[in-house]
Amino acid sequence: MLAAFNPETRVDARVARLLDDALDEAVAAADVVLDCSDNFTTRHAINRACVHHRKPLVSGAAIGFDGQISVYDLRADDAPCYHCLFPEEADDADERTCATTGVFAPLVGIIGSMQAAEAMKVLMGLGEPLVGRLLQLDALTMQWHTVKFRRDCACPVCGHR
């Protein structure tokens, strides 16, 4: 469908988890990466690959009635990465996931639509992407909240670029 509007467009949607070299190759080939996963292990692996290749990452998450979205555009030296906001814990065994906790179905569509909009803004160089801002949605009240954050110069993932 997208190719009908622009034959130069290529979308490579991955449903299976990519590991190690396969993840690295997919991120290296991408213009922008959208992370729609539901666990921290995958999010951190994607973030590390995006930092390594300096690829913009549009991260969205939804659980229960809470959603969030942010953009980590590592092409800018002062941009924070996912780890700057959500440090990787040694023990992610207690993490909540959609599979174990559930998610309000319309929320996934809202966050996914926002991710698509942010990815298009990044690709086209338009507007002000959510870099350094985490946009949170409480779907029970339909209230949006913004949390601003900065790059952590001591971040073990992006702090030494």
Side-chain angles (χ1 to χ4, degrees), residues 91-151:
D91 181 17
D92 285 334
D94 294 334
E95 75 174 312
R96 299 179 336 151
T97 66
C98 295
T100 59
T101 307
V103 64
F104 183 53
L107 179 62
V108 177
I110 294 168
I111 298 300
S113 295
M114 297 288 290
Q115 280 184 274
E118 289 298 305
M120 291 173 69
K121 287 167 40 182
V122 167
L123 288 170
M124 294 186 286
L126 297 175
E128 191 175 327
L130 289 169
V131 176
R133 294 179 292 148
L134 178 70
L135 190 58
Q136 300 174 306
L137 174 61
D138 176 344
L140 289 175
T141 63
M142 290 311 285
Q143 297 273 335
W144 289 96
H145 302 280
T146 301
V147 176
K148 293 183 179 183
F149 62 99
R150 295 181 184 193
R151 181 174 162 250

